[in-house]
Amino acid sequence: MSESKSSYIAASYANINQKTSSQQQDFDIKIKALGSASIEATTLTIDPLATPWHSEQTANHFRSGCAPIMALEHATHLINQGQQAVIIEANEPLKTGYSREQRHQLMAVYDDETTIADLYNDLAQQFIKNHSLNEEQFTTIAAALFENYKVTYQRHIDNEQAHFSLPSQQWYDNVTPLFRGVDCANPLIDFAGKLLICSEEVLAQLGWEKSVKVAGVHCCEINTQDETKELKTLSQYNHLGIAFDEACNAAQINFSQEFLHHNALLEAYTCYPIVPMAFLLHSGIVKDVSDIAPLLQDYEITITGGMNLARAPWNAPSLNALIEMSQRLINSNQRYGAVHGNGGLGYRQGVAILERI
């Protein structure tokens, strides 16, 4: 049996609202170097909102909030099979590329009568039942989560790295019985981003420094034709636990312990409070749902401020997180970074663990 080949993030950039990132020049230089060395890169595309949710998915295209983690997992398989370079890309003009009516129509992926917010509220009700909570306890934890994201995001504002101001007061109103506007993903953003994954051989050939390794990545999904009928199964999040454990096994680390010892960064998927709650539980970072609020006093569970404040470009939030995480690790004291992806209401779960070399 041949030894598996390691994959490395060689370059990345994200442009927000048409503002060109300073990292794009480095990315373009490295792509040009690949061409000069006759190294062909395979491109994996994260589908935009314009691609209908229920349309047939074409080869090397990925869809759902878990799509970037799925694409990264596929990229590592391609590198292991001998491919030398892979580009993961997304172009989502969510803010300016659609009319308000078009956005709402394309985002109605379940039916015209049921919104994603309503379905998440129903899912949270099942989660509350599973963990013997009441609604007040749940909303208290949800509020603590948002405060945690805000602490992180305010640091971006202080460093003049944030793209948006903090939410206005109207966002603190409830949009469902269990969620306020600030508790939910805020999607209105134009996003373009790319991630370049290379083999160790390419890095050596082109004299590029090894900096961030894809230490482990795994995706897991519930086999269902209609996840709206599987809320009880989804709310247990066992498949999230599997994705996390397999990513840790591949990375050969106990990520939870590394995180609790302040040796790891985390970007939990924060589309609605139930999702980061489930991640913290099924990663073993906390043992019980009652431990979440105390943990949030001492640990930041995003590096961006989450999808609520850094915003959420439809299928690409975890691509933005992978880009941000890879860049942060290079200049970080922490060795590891984990990025979580959640697809649909939660039928797909993915975890990627990056390692600073």
mmCIF file with all atom_site columns, all heavy atoms in Angstrom, residues 101-121:
data_model
loop_
_atom_site.group_PDB
_atom_site.id
_atom_site.type_symbol
_atom_site.label_atom_id
_atom_site.label_alt_id
_atom_site.label_comp_id
_atom_site.label_asym_id
_atom_site.label_entity_id
_atom_site.label_seq_id
_atom_site.pdbx_PDB_ins_code
_atom_site.Cartn_x
_atom_site.Cartn_y
_atom_site.Cartn_z
_atom_site.occupancy
_atom_site.B_iso_or_equiv
_atom_site.pdbx_formal_charge
_atom_site.auth_seq_id
_atom_site.auth_comp_id
_atom_site.auth_asym_id
_atom_site.auth_atom_id
_atom_site.pdbx_PDB_model_num
ATOM 1   N N   . GLU A 1 101 ? -35.995 40.240 -5.375  1.00 0.00 ? 101 GLU A N   1
ATOM 2   C CA  . GLU A 1 101 ? -36.958 39.187 -5.693  1.00 0.00 ? 101 GLU A CA  1
ATOM 3   C C   . GLU A 1 101 ? -36.256 37.931 -6.180  1.00 0.00 ? 101 GLU A C   1
ATOM 4   O O   . GLU A 1 101 ? -36.652 36.805 -5.829  1.00 0.00 ? 101 GLU A O   1
ATOM 5   C CB  . GLU A 1 101 ? -37.951 39.685 -6.753  1.00 0.00 ? 101 GLU A CB  1
ATOM 6   C CG  . GLU A 1 101 ? -38.895 40.785 -6.293  1.00 0.00 ? 101 GLU A CG  1
ATOM 7   C CD  . GLU A 1 101 ? -38.201 42.146 -6.140  1.00 0.00 ? 101 GLU A CD  1
ATOM 8   O OE1 . GLU A 1 101 ? -37.101 42.337 -6.711  1.00 0.00 ? 101 GLU A OE1 1
ATOM 9   O OE2 . GLU A 1 101 ? -38.751 42.999 -5.419  1.00 0.00 ? 101 GLU A OE2 1
ATOM 10  N N   . GLN A 1 102 ? -35.213 38.081 -7.007  1.00 0.00 ? 102 GLN A N   1
ATOM 11  C CA  . GLN A 1 102 ? -34.459 36.926 -7.491  1.00 0.00 ? 102 GLN A CA  1
ATOM 12  C C   . GLN A 1 102 ? -33.795 36.179 -6.349  1.00 0.00 ? 102 GLN A C   1
ATOM 13  O O   . GLN A 1 102 ? -33.817 34.944 -6.303  1.00 0.00 ? 102 GLN A O   1
ATOM 14  C CB  . GLN A 1 102 ? -33.404 37.380 -8.503  1.00 0.00 ? 102 GLN A CB  1
ATOM 15  C CG  . GLN A 1 102 ? -33.947 37.757 -9.861  1.00 0.00 ? 102 GLN A CG  1
ATOM 16  C CD  . GLN A 1 102 ? -32.859 38.350 -10.758 1.00 0.00 ? 102 GLN A CD  1
ATOM 17  O OE1 . GLN A 1 102 ? -31.963 39.073 -10.303 1.00 0.00 ? 102 GLN A OE1 1
ATOM 18  N NE2 . GLN A 1 102 ? -32.923 38.025 -12.038 1.00 0.00 ? 102 GLN A NE2 1
ATOM 19  N N   . ARG A 1 103 ? -33.184 36.942 -5.420  1.00 0.00 ? 103 ARG A N   1
ATOM 20  C CA  . ARG A 1 103 ? -32.535 36.298 -4.274  1.00 0.00 ? 103 ARG A CA  1
ATOM 21  C C   . ARG A 1 103 ? -33.537 35.476 -3.476  1.00 0.00 ? 103 ARG A C   1
ATOM 22  O O   . ARG A 1 103 ? -33.282 34.318 -3.137  1.00 0.00 ? 103 ARG A O   1
ATOM 23  C CB  . ARG A 1 103 ? -31.885 37.348 -3.362  1.00 0.00 ? 103 ARG A CB  1
ATOM 24  C CG  . ARG A 1 103 ? -30.505 37.776 -3.771  1.00 0.00 ? 103 ARG A CG  1
ATOM 25  C CD  . ARG A 1 103 ? -29.781 38.482 -2.630  1.00 0.00 ? 103 ARG A CD  1
ATOM 26  N NE  . ARG A 1 103 ? -30.519 39.626 -2.126  1.00 0.00 ? 103 ARG A NE  1
ATOM 27  C CZ  . ARG A 1 103 ? -30.407 40.863 -2.605  1.00 0.00 ? 103 ARG A CZ  1
ATOM 28  N NH1 . ARG A 1 103 ? -29.598 41.105 -3.609  1.00 0.00 ? 103 ARG A NH1 1
ATOM 29  N NH2 . ARG A 1 103 ? -31.105 41.841 -2.055  1.00 0.00 ? 103 ARG A NH2 1
ATOM 30  N N   . HIS A 1 104 ? -34.662 36.071 -3.163  1.00 0.00 ? 104 HIS A N   1
ATOM 31  C CA  . HIS A 1 104 ? -35.664 35.372 -2.359  1.00 0.00 ? 104 HIS A CA  1
ATOM 32  C C   . HIS A 1 104 ? -36.186 34.134 -3.070  1.00 0.00 ? 104 HIS A C   1
ATOM 33  O O   . HIS A 1 104 ? -36.388 33.086 -2.455  1.00 0.00 ? 104 HIS A O   1
ATOM 34  C CB  . HIS A 1 104 ? -36.811 36.324 -2.023  1.00 0.00 ? 104 HIS A CB  1
ATOM 35  C CG  . HIS A 1 104 ? -36.445 37.336 -0.989  1.00 0.00 ? 104 HIS A CG  1
ATOM 36  N ND1 . HIS A 1 104 ? -37.337 38.235 -0.462  1.00 0.00 ? 104 HIS A ND1 1
ATOM 37  C CD2 . HIS A 1 104 ? -35.269 37.602 -0.359  1.00 0.00 ? 104 HIS A CD2 1
ATOM 38  C CE1 . HIS A 1 104 ? -36.745 38.999 0.431   1.00 0.00 ? 104 HIS A CE1 1
ATOM 39  N NE2 . HIS A 1 104 ? -35.480 38.634 0.496   1.00 0.00 ? 104 HIS A NE2 1
ATOM 40  N N   . GLN A 1 105 ? -36.391 34.237 -4.377  1.00 0.00 ? 105 GLN A N   1
ATOM 41  C CA  . GLN A 1 105 ? -36.887 33.099 -5.145  1.00 0.00 ? 105 GLN A CA  1
ATOM 42  C C   . GLN A 1 105 ? -35.866 31.960 -5.163  1.00 0.00 ? 105 GLN A C   1
ATOM 43  O O   . GLN A 1 105 ? -36.207 30.792 -4.936  1.00 0.00 ? 105 GLN A O   1
ATOM 44  C CB  . GLN A 1 105 ? -37.210 33.532 -6.572  1.00 0.00 ? 105 GLN A CB  1
ATOM 45  C CG  . GLN A 1 105 ? -37.774 32.412 -7.450  1.00 0.00 ? 105 GLN A CG  1
ATOM 46  C CD  . GLN A 1 105 ? -38.056 32.873 -8.868  1.00 0.00 ? 105 GLN A CD  1
ATOM 47  O OE1 . GLN A 1 105 ? -37.678 33.973 -9.265  1.00 0.00 ? 105 GLN A OE1 1
ATOM 48  N NE2 . GLN A 1 105 ? -38.730 32.033 -9.634  1.00 0.00 ? 105 GLN A NE2 1
ATOM 49  N N   . LEU A 1 106 ? -34.597 32.294 -5.394  1.00 0.00 ? 106 LEU A N   1
ATOM 50  C CA  . LEU A 1 106 ? -33.557 31.265 -5.472  1.00 0.00 ? 106 LEU A CA  1
ATOM 51  C C   . LEU A 1 106 ? -33.236 30.658 -4.112  1.00 0.00 ? 106 LEU A C   1
ATOM 52  O O   . LEU A 1 106 ? -32.803 29.512 -4.016  1.00 0.00 ? 106 LEU A O   1
ATOM 53  C CB  . LEU A 1 106 ? -32.290 31.852 -6.097  1.00 0.00 ? 106 LEU A CB  1
ATOM 54  C CG  . LEU A 1 106 ? -32.374 32.157 -7.596  1.00 0.00 ? 106 LEU A CG  1
ATOM 55  C CD1 . LEU A 1 106 ? -31.233 33.062 -8.036  1.00 0.00 ? 106 LEU A CD1 1
ATOM 56  C CD2 . LEU A 1 106 ? -32.382 30.858 -8.406  1.00 0.00 ? 106 LEU A CD2 1
ATOM 57  N N   . MET A 1 107 ? -33.446 31.433 -3.034  1.00 0.00 ? 107 MET A N   1
ATOM 58  C CA  . MET A 1 107 ? -33.171 30.928 -1.697  1.00 0.00 ? 107 MET A CA  1
ATOM 59  C C   . MET A 1 107 ? -34.317 30.079 -1.142  1.00 0.00 ? 107 MET A C   1
ATOM 60  O O   . MET A 1 107 ? -34.139 29.416 -0.109  1.00 0.00 ? 107 MET A O   1
ATOM 61  C CB  . MET A 1 107 ? -32.887 32.094 -0.742  1.00 0.00 ? 107 MET A CB  1
ATOM 62  C CG  . MET A 1 107 ? -31.535 32.746 -0.950  1.00 0.00 ? 107 MET A CG  1
ATOM 63  S SD  . MET A 1 107 ? -31.260 34.104 0.227   1.00 0.00 ? 107 MET A SD  1
ATOM 64  C CE  . MET A 1 107 ? -29.575 34.575 -0.214  1.00 0.00 ? 107 MET A CE  1
ATOM 65  N N   . ALA A 1 108 ? -35.437 30.065 -1.808  1.00 0.00 ? 108 ALA A N   1
ATOM 66  C CA  . ALA A 1 108 ? -36.575 29.239 -1.363  1.00 0.00 ? 108 ALA A CA  1
ATOM 67  C C   . ALA A 1 108 ? -36.365 27.807 -1.853  1.00 0.00 ? 108 ALA A C   1
ATOM 68  O O   . ALA A 1 108 ? -37.024 27.325 -2.770  1.00 0.00 ? 108 ALA A O   1
ATOM 69  C CB  . ALA A 1 108 ? -37.880 29.810 -1.898  1.00 0.00 ? 108 ALA A CB  1
ATOM 70  N N   . VAL A 1 109 ? -35.418 27.114 -1.222  1.00 0.00 ? 109 VAL A N   1
ATOM 71  C CA  . VAL A 1 109 ? -34.971 25.813 -1.728  1.00 0.00 ? 109 VAL A CA  1
ATOM 72  C C   . VAL A 1 109 ? -35.853 24.653 -1.263  1.00 0.00 ? 109 VAL A C   1
ATOM 73  O O   . VAL A 1 109 ? -35.707 23.534 -1.749  1.00 0.00 ? 109 VAL A O   1
ATOM 74  C CB  . VAL A 1 109 ? -33.508 25.545 -1.330  1.00 0.00 ? 109 VAL A CB  1
ATOM 75  C CG1 . VAL A 1 109 ? -32.597 26.610 -1.925  1.00 0.00 ? 109 VAL A CG1 1
ATOM 76  C CG2 . VAL A 1 109 ? -33.348 25.497 0.176   1.00 0.00 ? 109 VAL A CG2 1
ATOM 77  N N   . TYR A 1 110 ? -36.746 24.894 -0.324  1.00 0.00 ? 110 TYR A N   1
ATOM 78  C CA  . TYR A 1 110 ? -37.594 23.800 0.172   1.00 0.00 ? 110 TYR A CA  1
ATOM 79  C C   . TYR A 1 110 ? -39.000 23.889 -0.408  1.00 0.00 ? 110 TYR A C   1
ATOM 80  O O   . TYR A 1 110 ? -39.424 23.025 -1.149  1.00 0.00 ? 110 TYR A O   1
ATOM 81  C CB  . TYR A 1 110 ? -37.597 23.790 1.703   1.00 0.00 ? 110 TYR A CB  1
ATOM 82  C CG  . TYR A 1 110 ? -36.210 23.507 2.244   1.00 0.00 ? 110 TYR A CG  1
ATOM 83  C CD1 . TYR A 1 110 ? -35.424 24.512 2.806   1.00 0.00 ? 110 TYR A CD1 1
ATOM 84  C CD2 . TYR A 1 110 ? -35.649 22.242 2.123   1.00 0.00 ? 110 TYR A CD2 1
ATOM 85  C CE1 . TYR A 1 110 ? -34.141 24.257 3.260   1.00 0.00 ? 110 TYR A CE1 1
ATOM 86  C CE2 . TYR A 1 110 ? -34.362 21.978 2.577   1.00 0.00 ? 110 TYR A CE2 1
ATOM 87  C CZ  . TYR A 1 110 ? -33.614 22.991 3.138   1.00 0.00 ? 110 TYR A CZ  1
ATOM 88  O OH  . TYR A 1 110 ? -32.338 22.738 3.574   1.00 0.00 ? 110 TYR A OH  1
ATOM 89  N N   . ASP A 1 111 ? -39.728 24.954 -0.128  1.00 0.00 ? 111 ASP A N   1
ATOM 90  C CA  . ASP A 1 111 ? -40.994 25.215 -0.801  1.00 0.00 ? 111 ASP A CA  1
ATOM 91  C C   . ASP A 1 111 ? -41.399 26.644 -0.510  1.00 0.00 ? 111 ASP A C   1
ATOM 92  O O   . ASP A 1 111 ? -40.739 27.344 0.264   1.00 0.00 ? 111 ASP A O   1
ATOM 93  C CB  . ASP A 1 111 ? -42.090 24.225 -0.371  1.00 0.00 ? 111 ASP A CB  1
ATOM 94  C CG  . ASP A 1 111 ? -42.368 24.273 1.114   1.00 0.00 ? 111 ASP A CG  1
ATOM 95  O OD1 . ASP A 1 111 ? -42.587 25.378 1.651   1.00 0.00 ? 111 ASP A OD1 1
ATOM 96  O OD2 . ASP A 1 111 ? -42.358 23.198 1.755   1.00 0.00 ? 111 ASP A OD2 1
ATOM 97  N N   . ASP A 1 112 ? -42.451 27.083 -1.156  1.00 0.00 ? 112 ASP A N   1
ATOM 98  C CA  . ASP A 1 112 ? -42.860 28.473 -1.022  1.00 0.00 ? 112 ASP A CA  1
ATOM 99  C C   . ASP A 1 112 ? -43.474 28.780 0.337   1.00 0.00 ? 112 ASP A C   1
ATOM 100 O O   . ASP A 1 112 ? -43.568 29.933 0.743   1.00 0.00 ? 112 ASP A O   1
ATOM 101 C CB  . ASP A 1 112 ? -43.863 28.835 -2.127  1.00 0.00 ? 112 ASP A CB  1
ATOM 102 C CG  . ASP A 1 112 ? -43.209 28.808 -3.504  1.00 0.00 ? 112 ASP A CG  1
ATOM 103 O OD1 . ASP A 1 112 ? -41.985 29.021 -3.570  1.00 0.00 ? 112 ASP A OD1 1
ATOM 104 O OD2 . ASP A 1 112 ? -43.927 28.580 -4.493  1.00 0.00 ? 112 ASP A OD2 1
ATOM 105 N N   . GLU A 1 113 ? -43.900 27.747 1.047   1.00 0.00 ? 113 GLU A N   1
ATOM 106 C CA  . GLU A 1 113 ? -44.623 27.955 2.302   1.00 0.00 ? 113 GLU A CA  1
ATOM 107 C C   . GLU A 1 113 ? -43.697 27.937 3.520   1.00 0.00 ? 113 GLU A C   1
ATOM 108 O O   . GLU A 1 113 ? -44.017 28.498 4.558   1.00 0.00 ? 113 GLU A O   1
ATOM 109 C CB  . GLU A 1 113 ? -45.704 26.876 2.470   1.00 0.00 ? 113 GLU A CB  1
ATOM 110 C CG  . GLU A 1 113 ? -46.710 26.817 1.323   1.00 0.00 ? 113 GLU A CG  1
ATOM 111 C CD  . GLU A 1 113 ? -47.484 28.109 1.159   1.00 0.00 ? 113 GLU A CD  1
ATOM 112 O OE1 . GLU A 1 113 ? -47.812 28.728 2.198   1.00 0.00 ? 113 GLU A OE1 1
ATOM 113 O OE2 . GLU A 1 113 ? -47.743 28.517 0.014   1.00 0.00 ? 113 GLU A OE2 1
ATOM 114 N N   . THR A 1 114 ? -42.556 27.257 3.395   1.00 0.00 ? 114 THR A N   1
ATOM 115 C CA  . THR A 1 114 ? -41.679 27.055 4.551   1.00 0.00 ? 114 THR A CA  1
ATOM 116 C C   . THR A 1 114 ? -40.341 27.732 4.319   1.00 0.00 ? 114 THR A C   1
ATOM 117 O O   . THR A 1 114 ? -39.645 27.421 3.362   1.00 0.00 ? 114 THR A O   1
ATOM 118 C CB  . THR A 1 114 ? -41.448 25.550 4.798   1.00 0.00 ? 114 THR A CB  1
ATOM 119 O OG1 . THR A 1 114 ? -42.704 24.888 4.856   1.00 0.00 ? 114 THR A OG1 1
ATOM 120 C CG2 . THR A 1 114 ? -40.702 25.324 6.096   1.00 0.00 ? 114 THR A CG2 1
ATOM 121 N N   . THR A 1 115 ? -39.976 28.650 5.208   1.00 0.00 ? 115 THR A N   1
ATOM 122 C CA  . THR A 1 115 ? -38.686 29.315 5.081   1.00 0.00 ? 115 THR A CA  1
ATOM 123 C C   . THR A 1 115 ? -37.602 28.502 5.785   1.00 0.00 ? 115 THR A C   1
ATOM 124 O O   . THR A 1 115 ? -37.883 27.680 6.662   1.00 0.00 ? 115 THR A O   1
ATOM 125 C CB  . THR A 1 115 ? -38.727 30.723 5.697   1.00 0.00 ? 115 THR A CB  1
ATOM 126 O OG1 . THR A 1 115 ? -38.865 30.603 7.120   1.00 0.00 ? 115 THR A OG1 1
ATOM 127 C CG2 . THR A 1 115 ? -39.870 31.541 5.124   1.00 0.00 ? 115 THR A CG2 1
ATOM 128 N N   . ILE A 1 116 ? -36.360 28.755 5.410   1.00 0.00 ? 116 ILE A N   1
ATOM 129 C CA  . ILE A 1 116 ? -35.241 28.103 6.072   1.00 0.00 ? 116 ILE A CA  1
ATOM 130 C C   . ILE A 1 116 ? -35.223 28.465 7.554   1.00 0.00 ? 116 ILE A C   1
ATOM 131 O O   . ILE A 1 116 ? -34.962 27.618 8.412   1.00 0.00 ? 116 ILE A O   1
ATOM 132 C CB  . ILE A 1 116 ? -33.912 28.491 5.384   1.00 0.00 ? 116 ILE A CB  1
ATOM 133 C CG1 . ILE A 1 116 ? -33.888 27.970 3.942   1.00 0.00 ? 116 ILE A CG1 1
ATOM 134 C CG2 . ILE A 1 116 ? -32.723 27.953 6.159   1.00 0.00 ? 116 ILE A CG2 1
ATOM 135 C CD1 . ILE A 1 116 ? -32.685 28.404 3.135   1.00 0.00 ? 116 ILE A CD1 1
ATOM 136 N N   . ALA A 1 117 ? -35.552 29.728 7.861   1.00 0.00 ? 117 ALA A N   1
ATOM 137 C CA  . ALA A 1 117 ? -35.574 30.159 9.264   1.00 0.00 ? 117 ALA A CA  1
ATOM 138 C C   . ALA A 1 117 ? -36.605 29.372 10.067  1.00 0.00 ? 117 ALA A C   1
ATOM 139 O O   . ALA A 1 117 ? -36.343 28.948 11.203  1.00 0.00 ? 117 ALA A O   1
ATOM 140 C CB  . ALA A 1 117 ? -35.864 31.649 9.347   1.00 0.00 ? 117 ALA A CB  1
ATOM 141 N N   . ASP A 1 118 ? -37.785 29.151 9.489   1.00 0.00 ? 118 ASP A N   1
ATOM 142 C CA  . ASP A 1 118 ? -38.824 28.387 10.188  1.00 0.00 ? 118 ASP A CA  1
ATOM 143 C C   . ASP A 1 118 ? -38.387 26.945 10.414  1.00 0.00 ? 118 ASP A C   1
ATOM 144 O O   . ASP A 1 118 ? -38.632 26.358 11.475  1.00 0.00 ? 118 ASP A O   1
ATOM 145 C CB  . ASP A 1 118 ? -40.132 28.408 9.395   1.00 0.00 ? 118 ASP A CB  1
ATOM 146 C CG  . ASP A 1 118 ? -40.814 29.770 9.432   1.00 0.00 ? 118 ASP A CG  1
ATOM 147 O OD1 . ASP A 1 118 ? -40.589 30.509 10.405  1.00 0.00 ? 118 ASP A OD1 1
ATOM 148 O OD2 . ASP A 1 118 ? -41.548 30.084 8.484   1.00 0.00 ? 118 ASP A OD2 1
ATOM 149 N N   . LEU A 1 119 ? -37.728 26.365 9.410   1.00 0.00 ? 119 LEU A N   1
ATOM 150 C CA  . LEU A 1 119 ? -37.264 24.983 9.547   1.00 0.00 ? 119 LEU A CA  1
ATOM 151 C C   . LEU A 1 119 ? -36.178 24.872 10.609  1.00 0.00 ? 119 LEU A C   1
ATOM 152 O O   . LEU A 1 119 ? -36.153 23.917 11.387  1.00 0.00 ? 119 LEU A O   1
ATOM 153 C CB  . LEU A 1 119 ? -36.754 24.470 8.201   1.00 0.00 ? 119 LEU A CB  1
ATOM 154 C CG  . LEU A 1 119 ? -37.846 24.161 7.175   1.00 0.00 ? 119 LEU A CG  1
ATOM 155 C CD1 . LEU A 1 119 ? -37.252 24.012 5.785   1.00 0.00 ? 119 LEU A CD1 1
ATOM 156 C CD2 . LEU A 1 119 ? -38.616 22.901 7.554   1.00 0.00 ? 119 LEU A CD2 1
ATOM 157 N N   . TYR A 1 120 ? -35.276 25.855 10.663  1.00 0.00 ? 120 TYR A N   1
ATOM 158 C CA  . TYR A 1 120 ? -34.263 25.848 11.714  1.00 0.00 ? 120 TYR A CA  1
ATOM 159 C C   . TYR A 1 120 ? -34.900 26.003 13.087  1.00 0.00 ? 120 TYR A C   1
ATOM 160 O O   . TYR A 1 120 ? -34.432 25.417 14.071  1.00 0.00 ? 120 TYR A O   1
ATOM 161 C CB  . TYR A 1 120 ? -33.227 26.942 11.482  1.00 0.00 ? 120 TYR A CB  1
ATOM 162 C CG  . TYR A 1 120 ? -31.976 26.431 10.822  1.00 0.00 ? 120 TYR A CG  1
ATOM 163 C CD1 . TYR A 1 120 ? -31.608 26.815 9.536   1.00 0.00 ? 120 TYR A CD1 1
ATOM 164 C CD2 . TYR A 1 120 ? -31.143 25.535 11.496  1.00 0.00 ? 120 TYR A CD2 1
ATOM 165 C CE1 . TYR A 1 120 ? -30.465 26.337 8.939   1.00 0.00 ? 120 TYR A CE1 1
ATOM 166 C CE2 . TYR A 1 120 ? -29.997 25.048 10.905  1.00 0.00 ? 120 TYR A CE2 1
ATOM 167 C CZ  . TYR A 1 120 ? -29.663 25.452 9.627   1.00 0.00 ? 120 TYR A CZ  1
ATOM 168 O OH  . TYR A 1 120 ? -28.528 24.965 9.032   1.00 0.00 ? 120 TYR A OH  1
ATOM 169 N N   . ASN A 1 121 ? -35.959 26.785 13.165  1.00 0.00 ? 121 ASN A N   1
ATOM 170 C CA  . ASN A 1 121 ? -36.666 26.922 14.440  1.00 0.00 ? 121 ASN A CA  1
ATOM 171 C C   . ASN A 1 121 ? -37.250 25.574 14.869  1.00 0.00 ? 121 ASN A C   1
ATOM 172 O O   . ASN A 1 121 ? -37.153 25.173 16.035  1.00 0.00 ? 121 ASN A O   1
ATOM 173 C CB  . ASN A 1 121 ? -37.776 27.961 14.313  1.00 0.00 ? 121 ASN A CB  1
ATOM 174 C CG  . ASN A 1 121 ? -38.228 28.491 15.659  1.00 0.00 ? 121 ASN A CG  1
ATOM 175 O OD1 . ASN A 1 121 ? -37.613 29.374 16.220  1.00 0.00 ? 121 ASN A OD1 1
ATOM 176 N ND2 . ASN A 1 121 ? -39.289 27.921 16.199  1.00 0.00 ? 121 ASN A ND2 1
#
